Short mmCIF file of all heavy atoms in Angstrom, two decimals:
data_model
loop_
_atom_site.label_atom_id
_atom_site.label_comp_id
_atom_site.label_asym_id
_atom_site.label_seq_id
_atom_site.Cartn_x
_atom_site.Cartn_y
_atom_site.Cartn_z
N LEU W 39 185.46 99.09 138.73
CA LEU W 39 186.44 99.62 137.78
C LEU W 39 186.58 101.11 137.96
O LEU W 39 187.63 101.63 137.51
CB LEU W 39 185.92 99.34 136.40
CG LEU W 39 185.73 97.83 135.91
CD1 LEU W 39 185.17 97.74 134.60
CD2 LEU W 39 187.11 97.10 136.03
N LEU W 40 185.60 101.77 138.49
CA LEU W 40 185.59 103.18 138.63
C LEU W 40 184.77 103.61 139.81
O LEU W 40 183.67 103.11 140.00
CB LEU W 40 185.09 103.86 137.34
CG LEU W 40 185.31 105.32 137.18
CD1 LEU W 40 186.79 105.64 137.08
CD2 LEU W 40 184.60 105.82 136.00
N GLU W 41 185.28 104.50 140.61
CA GLU W 41 184.51 105.06 141.76
C GLU W 41 184.09 106.44 141.47
O GLU W 41 184.82 107.16 140.69
CB GLU W 41 185.33 104.96 143.00
CG GLU W 41 185.58 103.48 143.50
CD GLU W 41 186.29 103.55 144.92
OE1 GLU W 41 185.90 104.32 145.70
OE2 GLU W 41 187.21 102.75 145.09
N GLN W 44 186.56 109.57 140.76
CA GLN W 44 187.80 109.16 140.02
C GLN W 44 187.74 109.59 138.59
O GLN W 44 186.64 109.66 137.98
CB GLN W 44 188.00 107.61 140.08
CG GLN W 44 188.46 107.11 141.36
CD GLN W 44 188.77 105.57 141.22
OE1 GLN W 44 188.07 104.82 140.54
NE2 GLN W 44 189.75 105.17 141.97
N VAL W 45 188.84 109.71 137.95
CA VAL W 45 188.88 109.93 136.50
C VAL W 45 189.18 108.64 135.81
O VAL W 45 190.01 107.83 136.21
CB VAL W 45 190.07 110.93 136.18
CG1 VAL W 45 190.23 111.16 134.65
CG2 VAL W 45 189.88 112.24 136.89
N CYS W 46 188.34 108.40 134.77
CA CYS W 46 188.51 107.14 133.95
C CYS W 46 189.76 107.30 133.11
O CYS W 46 189.77 108.21 132.19
CB CYS W 46 187.23 106.91 133.14
SG CYS W 46 187.35 105.38 132.14
N ARG W 47 190.74 106.46 133.31
CA ARG W 47 191.99 106.62 132.62
C ARG W 47 192.21 105.74 131.38
O ARG W 47 193.17 105.81 130.68
CB ARG W 47 193.23 106.29 133.57
CG ARG W 47 193.21 107.24 134.73
CD ARG W 47 193.71 108.67 134.48
NE ARG W 47 193.85 109.37 135.71
CZ ARG W 47 193.83 110.66 135.70
NH1 ARG W 47 193.68 111.37 134.57
NH2 ARG W 47 193.86 111.31 136.87
N TYR W 48 191.10 104.83 131.12
CA TYR W 48 191.24 103.82 130.09
C TYR W 48 190.05 103.90 129.14
O TYR W 48 188.91 103.98 129.63
CB TYR W 48 191.38 102.40 130.60
CG TYR W 48 192.61 102.17 131.44
CD1 TYR W 48 192.59 102.36 132.82
CD2 TYR W 48 193.77 101.89 130.71
CE1 TYR W 48 193.81 102.17 133.48
CE2 TYR W 48 194.95 101.75 131.51
CZ TYR W 48 194.95 101.80 132.76
OH TYR W 48 196.11 101.68 133.52
N PHE W 49 190.33 103.83 127.88
CA PHE W 49 189.27 103.55 126.84
C PHE W 49 189.06 102.06 127.01
O PHE W 49 189.92 101.21 127.02
CB PHE W 49 189.83 103.91 125.47
CG PHE W 49 188.99 103.49 124.34
CD1 PHE W 49 187.96 104.36 123.84
CD2 PHE W 49 189.14 102.25 123.78
CE1 PHE W 49 187.20 103.97 122.79
CE2 PHE W 49 188.30 101.88 122.70
CZ PHE W 49 187.40 102.73 122.18
N ARG W 50 187.77 101.67 127.10
CA ARG W 50 187.43 100.25 127.35
C ARG W 50 186.46 99.82 126.37
O ARG W 50 185.41 100.40 126.08
CB ARG W 50 186.87 100.05 128.75
CG ARG W 50 187.91 100.28 129.82
CD ARG W 50 187.28 100.07 131.21
NE ARG W 50 188.42 99.86 132.22
CZ ARG W 50 188.52 100.74 133.26
NH1 ARG W 50 187.63 101.69 133.44
NH2 ARG W 50 189.41 100.58 134.11
N LEU W 57 178.77 95.11 132.45
CA LEU W 57 179.00 96.12 133.44
C LEU W 57 177.73 96.89 133.67
O LEU W 57 176.77 96.93 132.95
CB LEU W 57 179.97 97.22 132.84
CG LEU W 57 181.38 96.69 132.17
CD1 LEU W 57 182.05 97.89 131.63
CD2 LEU W 57 182.18 96.13 133.39
N ARG W 58 177.80 97.58 134.87
CA ARG W 58 176.74 98.49 135.15
C ARG W 58 177.36 99.73 135.79
O ARG W 58 178.45 99.72 136.38
CB ARG W 58 175.66 97.93 136.15
CG ARG W 58 176.13 97.91 137.61
CD ARG W 58 175.01 97.43 138.49
NE ARG W 58 175.48 97.36 139.84
CZ ARG W 58 174.95 98.14 140.85
NH1 ARG W 58 174.00 98.87 140.67
NH2 ARG W 58 175.51 97.96 142.03
N THR W 59 176.72 100.90 135.61
CA THR W 59 177.05 102.10 136.28
C THR W 59 176.01 102.37 137.27
O THR W 59 174.81 102.12 137.07
CB THR W 59 177.24 103.23 135.29
OG1 THR W 59 176.05 103.41 134.47
CG2 THR W 59 178.46 103.04 134.39
N GLU W 73 175.99 97.86 130.22
CA GLU W 73 176.67 97.51 128.90
C GLU W 73 176.94 95.99 129.04
O GLU W 73 177.55 95.47 129.96
CB GLU W 73 177.97 98.25 128.76
CG GLU W 73 177.84 99.73 128.58
CD GLU W 73 177.08 100.13 127.29
OE1 GLU W 73 176.76 99.24 126.44
OE2 GLU W 73 176.69 101.34 127.21
N LEU W 78 181.50 99.66 123.84
CA LEU W 78 182.32 100.51 124.64
C LEU W 78 181.76 100.77 126.03
O LEU W 78 180.59 100.84 126.16
CB LEU W 78 182.56 101.77 123.94
CG LEU W 78 183.07 101.72 122.49
CD1 LEU W 78 183.39 103.11 121.99
CD2 LEU W 78 184.32 100.80 122.41
N ALA W 79 182.62 100.91 126.95
CA ALA W 79 182.29 101.24 128.36
C ALA W 79 183.15 102.42 128.88
O ALA W 79 184.02 102.23 129.61
CB ALA W 79 182.46 99.99 129.29
N ASN W 80 182.77 103.60 128.28
CA ASN W 80 183.57 104.78 128.60
C ASN W 80 182.60 105.88 129.00
O ASN W 80 181.84 106.40 128.30
CB ASN W 80 184.31 105.25 127.34
CG ASN W 80 185.23 104.16 126.76
OD1 ASN W 80 186.16 103.79 127.54
ND2 ASN W 80 185.00 103.65 125.65
N PRO W 81 182.64 106.17 130.40
CA PRO W 81 181.86 107.30 130.80
C PRO W 81 182.20 108.65 130.08
O PRO W 81 183.32 108.98 130.05
CB PRO W 81 182.16 107.44 132.28
CG PRO W 81 182.92 106.25 132.64
CD PRO W 81 183.48 105.69 131.37
N PHE W 82 181.27 109.25 129.44
CA PHE W 82 181.46 110.41 128.63
C PHE W 82 182.24 111.41 129.40
O PHE W 82 183.35 111.91 128.96
CB PHE W 82 180.17 111.08 128.12
CG PHE W 82 179.40 110.32 127.15
CD1 PHE W 82 178.16 110.75 126.82
CD2 PHE W 82 179.88 109.22 126.51
CE1 PHE W 82 177.38 110.15 125.89
CE2 PHE W 82 179.16 108.48 125.56
CZ PHE W 82 177.93 108.96 125.18
N ASP W 83 181.72 111.82 130.51
CA ASP W 83 182.33 112.98 131.25
C ASP W 83 183.69 112.64 131.80
O ASP W 83 184.62 113.47 131.57
CB ASP W 83 181.41 113.40 132.41
CG ASP W 83 181.20 112.28 133.40
OD1 ASP W 83 181.28 111.05 133.05
OD2 ASP W 83 180.84 112.53 134.60
N SER W 84 183.84 111.49 132.29
CA SER W 84 185.14 111.16 132.98
C SER W 84 186.31 110.82 131.94
O SER W 84 187.40 111.38 132.06
CB SER W 84 184.97 110.03 133.97
OG SER W 84 186.16 109.79 134.60
N PHE W 85 186.05 109.97 130.99
CA PHE W 85 187.01 109.54 130.08
C PHE W 85 187.39 110.65 129.04
O PHE W 85 188.52 111.06 128.92
CB PHE W 85 186.72 108.27 129.36
CG PHE W 85 187.79 107.88 128.34
CD1 PHE W 85 188.99 107.31 128.80
CD2 PHE W 85 187.65 108.10 127.01
CE1 PHE W 85 189.94 107.02 127.89
CE2 PHE W 85 188.63 107.83 126.08
CZ PHE W 85 189.80 107.20 126.53
N PHE W 86 186.38 111.15 128.40
CA PHE W 86 186.69 112.04 127.30
C PHE W 86 187.14 113.47 127.78
O PHE W 86 187.94 114.06 127.15
CB PHE W 86 185.46 112.17 126.37
CG PHE W 86 185.21 110.92 125.58
CD1 PHE W 86 184.09 110.10 125.94
CD2 PHE W 86 186.04 110.50 124.60
CE1 PHE W 86 183.91 108.90 125.30
CE2 PHE W 86 185.89 109.28 123.91
CZ PHE W 86 184.73 108.49 124.25
N LEU W 87 186.57 113.90 128.94
CA LEU W 87 187.00 115.15 129.48
C LEU W 87 188.06 115.11 130.46
O LEU W 87 188.64 116.14 131.01
CB LEU W 87 185.78 115.94 130.02
CG LEU W 87 184.66 116.22 129.08
CD1 LEU W 87 183.44 116.80 129.79
CD2 LEU W 87 185.08 116.97 127.85
N GLN W 88 188.40 113.77 130.86
CA GLN W 88 189.44 113.57 131.91
C GLN W 88 189.13 114.40 133.20
O GLN W 88 189.98 115.11 133.72
CB GLN W 88 190.83 113.80 131.42
CG GLN W 88 191.35 112.79 130.42
CD GLN W 88 191.49 111.46 131.18
OE1 GLN W 88 192.51 111.26 131.82
NE2 GLN W 88 190.51 110.53 131.05
N LYS W 89 187.87 114.21 133.71
CA LYS W 89 187.59 114.90 134.96
C LYS W 89 186.89 113.87 135.80
O LYS W 89 186.41 112.84 135.31
CB LYS W 89 186.61 116.07 134.67
CG LYS W 89 185.24 115.72 134.15
CD LYS W 89 184.35 116.94 134.01
CE LYS W 89 182.88 116.58 133.91
NZ LYS W 89 181.96 117.69 134.00
N PRO W 90 186.74 114.17 137.03
CA PRO W 90 186.20 113.13 138.06
C PRO W 90 184.70 112.80 137.66
O PRO W 90 183.97 113.74 137.27
CB PRO W 90 186.22 113.82 139.39
CG PRO W 90 187.35 114.77 139.21
CD PRO W 90 187.29 115.27 137.81
N GLY W 91 184.46 111.58 137.67
CA GLY W 91 183.10 111.10 137.24
C GLY W 91 182.11 111.14 138.42
O GLY W 91 182.55 111.29 139.63
N PHE W 92 180.90 111.03 138.15
CA PHE W 92 179.87 111.06 139.21
C PHE W 92 179.19 109.67 139.50
O PHE W 92 178.35 109.50 140.24
CB PHE W 92 178.78 112.07 138.80
CG PHE W 92 177.97 111.77 137.62
CD1 PHE W 92 176.78 111.06 137.71
CD2 PHE W 92 178.44 112.15 136.33
CE1 PHE W 92 176.04 110.71 136.59
CE2 PHE W 92 177.67 111.78 135.24
CZ PHE W 92 176.48 111.14 135.36
N GLU W 93 179.73 108.60 138.79
CA GLU W 93 179.15 107.32 138.96
C GLU W 93 180.23 106.30 139.32
O GLU W 93 181.47 106.53 139.10
CB GLU W 93 178.50 106.89 137.70
CG GLU W 93 177.31 107.68 137.20
CD GLU W 93 176.71 107.31 135.90
OE1 GLU W 93 177.46 107.10 134.99
OE2 GLU W 93 175.53 107.08 135.81
N TYR W 94 179.75 105.12 139.77
CA TYR W 94 180.59 103.97 139.94
C TYR W 94 180.40 103.08 138.72
O TYR W 94 179.28 103.04 138.11
CB TYR W 94 180.15 103.22 141.17
CG TYR W 94 180.30 104.00 142.49
CD1 TYR W 94 179.32 104.86 142.81
CD2 TYR W 94 181.45 103.91 143.26
CE1 TYR W 94 179.43 105.69 143.99
CE2 TYR W 94 181.54 104.64 144.41
CZ TYR W 94 180.50 105.50 144.78
OH TYR W 94 180.72 106.20 145.91
N MET W 95 181.44 102.23 138.43
CA MET W 95 181.27 101.24 137.40
C MET W 95 181.80 99.90 137.87
O MET W 95 182.90 99.89 138.38
CB MET W 95 182.06 101.66 136.08
CG MET W 95 181.95 100.69 134.96
SD MET W 95 183.00 101.12 133.54
CE MET W 95 182.21 102.56 133.00
N HIS W 108 194.44 106.46 128.18
CA HIS W 108 193.88 107.69 127.63
C HIS W 108 194.92 108.40 126.73
O HIS W 108 194.53 108.84 125.61
CB HIS W 108 193.44 108.67 128.68
CG HIS W 108 192.77 109.93 128.14
ND1 HIS W 108 193.49 111.05 127.94
CD2 HIS W 108 191.50 110.20 127.76
CE1 HIS W 108 192.72 111.93 127.45
NE2 HIS W 108 191.56 111.50 127.35
N TRP W 128 180.90 107.50 116.74
CA TRP W 128 180.39 106.79 117.83
C TRP W 128 179.61 107.68 118.84
O TRP W 128 178.56 107.26 119.30
CB TRP W 128 181.47 105.99 118.50
CG TRP W 128 181.02 105.25 119.65
CD1 TRP W 128 180.27 104.06 119.65
CD2 TRP W 128 181.00 105.64 121.10
NE1 TRP W 128 179.88 103.69 120.94
CE2 TRP W 128 180.28 104.63 121.79
CE3 TRP W 128 181.49 106.75 121.74
CZ2 TRP W 128 180.13 104.72 123.18
CZ3 TRP W 128 181.31 106.79 123.15
CH2 TRP W 128 180.64 105.81 123.79
N LEU W 129 180.25 108.77 119.13
CA LEU W 129 179.59 109.74 120.10
C LEU W 129 178.21 110.21 119.54
O LEU W 129 177.22 110.33 120.29
CB LEU W 129 180.47 110.85 120.44
CG LEU W 129 181.54 110.55 121.48
CD1 LEU W 129 182.56 111.75 121.62
CD2 LEU W 129 180.94 110.25 122.83
N GLU W 132 175.85 107.24 119.87
CA GLU W 132 175.53 106.98 121.26
C GLU W 132 174.62 108.10 121.82
O GLU W 132 173.62 107.84 122.55
CB GLU W 132 176.82 106.91 122.08
CG GLU W 132 176.51 106.56 123.55
CD GLU W 132 176.02 105.14 123.76
OE1 GLU W 132 176.07 104.28 122.81
OE2 GLU W 132 175.47 104.92 124.83
#
Side-chain angles (χ1 to χ4, degrees):
L39 299 175
L40 191 64
E41 291 188 42
Q44 284 184 326
V45 175
C46 181
R47 302 283 184 206
Y48 295 96
F49 172 88
R50 290 182 167 120
L57 305 175
R58 80 175 175 118
T59 54
E73 291 299 349
L78 303 182
N80 301 298
F82 289 172
D83 60 335
S84 186
F85 178 75
F86 293 107
L87 301 177
Q88 285 295 279
K89 67 177 199 173
F92 64 93
E93 296 177 309
Y94 299 83
M95 181 185 294
H108 183 267
W128 178 79
L129 282 170
E132 185 65 17

